[in-house]
Amino acid sequence: GLGDVYKRQDVDRRDGMKFYLEGDAWVMMRPSGTEPLVRIYAEAATTDEVNELLDAAEAVVTSL
């Protein structure tokens, strides 16, 4: 899960759920306003770390 990738620092619930993580990384999951899907955005220091965050967030969303 997300906790396995980075330690969570904070959560912003204003426009979906945005998790601020250690090392200035973050991942956001938010429902689309026009389609029946959840969009996932992520930022981290490397492409591999971004892909890890995206995979972890996708696992969370698909398990709901």
Side-chain angles (χ1 to χ4, degrees), residues 12-63:
D12 181 347
R13 293 181 173 87
R14 286 178 289 178
D15 190 24
M17 292 197 63
K18 185 173 185 178
F19 296 89
Y20 292 93
L21 309 167
E22 64 186 352
D24 294 326
W26 58 264
V27 63
M28 179 176 192
M29 297 170 280
R30 64 181 297 270
S32 169
T34 59
E35 300 172 273
L37 54 89
V38 174
R39 297 189 189 281
I40 302 171
Y41 306 88
E43 184 175 296
T46 69
T47 301
D48 287 341
E49 291 171 334
V50 167
N51 288 329
E52 287 178 23
L53 288 172
L54 293 174
D55 290 344
E58 181 181 6
V60 169
V61 170
T62 57
S63 71

